[in-house]
Amino acid sequence: MVTTGAKILRKANVVYVVGKLGNSVSTNGKKLANNFATDNQISKKFINYLDLLGGFEFSENTIYFIDGWFGLWNDNPCEERVVRESLNLLSEEIKSGDKDIKFVIGVRAEVLKRYGSVFEDNAFSKSLQMSILLDSASQQKTSSIEKHLGTIRGKCKKADCHCKRIEDIELMEVEKIGAHLILKLLEIDHNFASKMNELLEKPLVVMTGHFKSLKLGNKKLFAGILYMVLNGSYDESNFNKIIAENFDIEESCFDNEDLEKYTRRKESLAPTWSSRICGDSTTPTENAVVFCHNFLYISAFHACYDESDEKKKFLLHCNMDAVLQLVRPSGDESDFTVKADLESITTFYEERIKGGKLEEHVQNHPLMVYLKERINN
């Protein structure tokens, strides 16, 4: 993959790295950018597409890896205008030819499928024809999966464990998420090996059920997970007391070793669409605790939302970008979204959207469209 990408970049300024959730789009994109920078003795920078807003200055002799298009966990259709603006900035920079710059653009396959016309409507649309497709089968990919599975089996001490029966080909054929992500879930809970068929077919259902089980089996751990879903992350220096008070969460719930298998420390958090639209100038959180994979956040979100007895309360306190990305009205759900009823959507609009800075920017969001249709009818 890296070799192919380097060949493309020697002839073009842009290469797309495309794959479904869990197929290492960011990992491979950053590796490509890093190796190309080293081989060609230029600088590298990894940024979110939202970083391009507000007078961003490109550096000479630099390769950029850029991801985050349309949202972190799932697509927020309201981001289309900003995505177009960012792509136009890249296009104009390339056309100017003032600086020796290369771009590696990481995009989830489902996002590119849904918003292909947005990415095609710019001066480097031809680069899409030279995309690196991580979902395609290859000897390198098969070897990587075999090695990952071998590592997991090597740590297992049960001679008759179901993990010994997992076939590489099964992992290669998973439709919803990437094979390495399936194996990551198996590392989190090795008991998944006994229900591998279900995990392969319905990974979100299995992982959501896993998080739900914690509410009864480990309430302290579930409280920490609920907080991170609502707030988006955990930062010791900026504990959200409003969320804590409304959901009866104590900060001591983060003194829990079990939480570590689901989370990791991140040096800096990516900007969010809602904060950029609202002009939030707050210093970005550093060294915060986040879920170790976006799929884990999505699964935990589903579990916490399903287990909530007060969906309206959940939507009133959950971080805005998660709601816009992961909540849809009845009839408009997709693989990673949850369903909200009319009453919850109405309250969400009245309390969090109406009269605020976001209102004009979310008018075409499915939640708002659904609400307008019901009011007009």
Side-chain angles (χ1 to χ4, degrees):
M1 189 287 298
V2 173
T3 302
T4 302
K7 288 180 179 178
I8 294 173
L9 287 172
R10 280 195 285 270
K11 298 178 180 179
N13 297 102
V14 181
V15 62
Y16 280 82
V17 177
V18 183
K20 58 193 168 191
L21 182 66
N23 251 353
S24 305
V25 171
S26 291
T27 299
N28 283 293
K30 290 176 180 178
K31 184 177 180 180
L32 169 56
N34 184 68
N35 287 10
F36 189 87
T38 300
D39 293 343
N40 294 274
Q41 297 184 327
I42 61 174
S43 300
K44 66 177 185 299
K45 291 185 179 180
F46 306 150
I47 64 175
N48 184 284
Y49 92 94
L50 290 166
D51 290 320
L52 297 171
L53 304 179
F56 183 85
E57 289 289 334
F58 292 99
S59 302
E60 294 183 359
N61 302 315
T62 302
I63 183 169
Y64 291 87
F65 171 72
I66 310 173
D67 64 356
W69 308 94
F70 282 95
L72 185 62
W73 304 296
N74 193 48
D75 67 291
N76 171 13
C78 302
E79 297 192 29
E80 180 173 334
R81 179 182 63 82
V82 181
V83 169
R84 286 186 181 276
E85 289 179 5
S86 298
L87 289 170
N88 286 335
L89 281 174
L90 301 186
S91 180
E92 290 171 6
E93 188 63 37
I94 290 172
K95 284 191 292 185
S96 70
D98 294 337
K99 304 166 184 174
D100 186 9
I101 300 178
K102 301 287 185 179
F103 296 108
V104 180
I105 299 179
V107 189
R108 278 187 23 198
E110 59 268 30
V111 169
L112 190 58
K113 181 178 180 181
R114 191 169 299 162
Y115 302 99
S117 61
V118 176
F119 290 93
E120 291 170 357
D121 190 20
N122 57 68
F124 52 85
S125 59
K126 290 183 179 179
S127 298
L128 285 169
Q129 300 170 14
M130 297 183 288
S131 299
I132 296 173
L133 305 176
L134 298 178
D135 298 337
S136 301
S138 68
Q139 183 59 46
Q140 183 181 12
K141 181 178 178 181
T142 301
S143 176
S144 176
I145 292 171
E146 290 175 349
K147 183 178 180 180
H148 192 171
L149 180 57
T151 300
I152 293 174
R153 286 171 173 163
K155 294 178 180 179
C156 179
K157 304 303 180 184
K158 290 179 62 177
D160 60 344
C161 182
H162 285 80
C163 73
K164 308 295 194 296
R165 306 172 201 167
I166 300 172
E167 298 289 339
D168 302 332
I169 189 64
E170 292 179 298
L171 297 169
M172 295 289 289
E173 294 175 350
V174 179
E175 292 184 5
K176 301 297 183 183
I177 61 176
H180 283 294
L181 178 52
I182 290 288
L183 293 175
K184 174 65 178 176
L185 301 182
L186 188 58
E187 289 176 314
I188 289 174
D189 188 345
H190 203 72
N191 291 320
F192 287 155
S194 63
K195 55 173 80 172
M196 183 54 63
N197 288 338
E198 186 180 357
L199 184 63
L200 294 173
E201 293 178 10
K202 299 178 180 179
L204 180 58
V205 172
V206 172
M207 203 62 209
T208 297
H210 173 83
F211 280 121
K212 283 183 178 181
S213 70
L214 300 178
K215 188 174 183 180
L216 292 176
N218 194 332
K219 291 184 177 180
K220 185 176 180 180
L221 176 58
F222 187 81
I225 287 170
L226 173 59
Y227 176 92
M228 289 183 60
V229 164
L230 294 169
N231 196 59
S233 63
Y234 167 64
D235 176 14
E236 297 97 322
S237 63
N238 189 24
F239 187 61
N240 192 324
K241 294 181 179 179
I242 295 177
I243 287 178
E245 291 170 2
N246 277 278
F247 292 86
D248 194 24
I249 299 172
E250 297 181 2
E251 191 168 7
S252 60
C253 69
F254 288 97
D255 298 326
N256 190 332
E257 290 184 358
D258 290 336
L259 192 62
E260 294 178 4
K261 67 179 180 180
Y262 306 106
T263 62
R264 64 186 175 95
R265 289 276 178 181
K266 194 167 185 180
E267 291 184 4
S268 62
L269 299 183
T272 63
W273 176 81
S274 64
S275 64
R276 288 298 169 93
I277 294 298
C278 293
D280 185 359
S281 59
T282 304
T283 303
T285 301
E286 296 182 356
N287 203 32
V289 178
V290 299
F291 284 95
C292 57
H293 196 283
N294 290 338
F295 181 75
L296 291 184
Y297 179 91
I298 296 168
S299 302
F301 183 98
H302 276 248
C304 293
Y305 185 81
D306 290 349
E307 290 296 304
S308 174
D309 295 326
E310 299 179 73
K311 300 292 192 290
K312 291 189 292 184
K313 181 179 176 182
F314 185 97
L315 296 182
L316 288 178
H317 292 280
C318 187
N319 71 89
M320 179 63 73
D321 291 86
V323 175
L324 296 177
Q325 291 174 34
L326 294 170
V327 183
R328 295 292 184 268
S330 178
D332 199 12
E333 308 97 294
S334 62
D335 290 339
F336 296 129
T337 59
V338 299
K339 181 173 65 176
D341 59 26
L342 180 59
E343 184 179 0
S344 297
I345 296 171
T346 301
T347 303
F348 171 72
Y349 169 73
E350 293 287 342
E351 298 292 329
R352 300 191 69 182
I353 301 297
K354 187 177 181 180
K357 294 180 180 179
L358 282 179
E359 184 169 14
E360 65 175 299
H361 299 279
V362 299
Q363 290 181 8
N364 294 323
H365 190 279
L367 293 174
M368 300 300 103
V369 172
Y370 178 84
L371 183 58
K372 288 180 202 173
E373 290 175 349
R374 294 302 177 275
I375 292 175
N376 293 334
N377 291 334

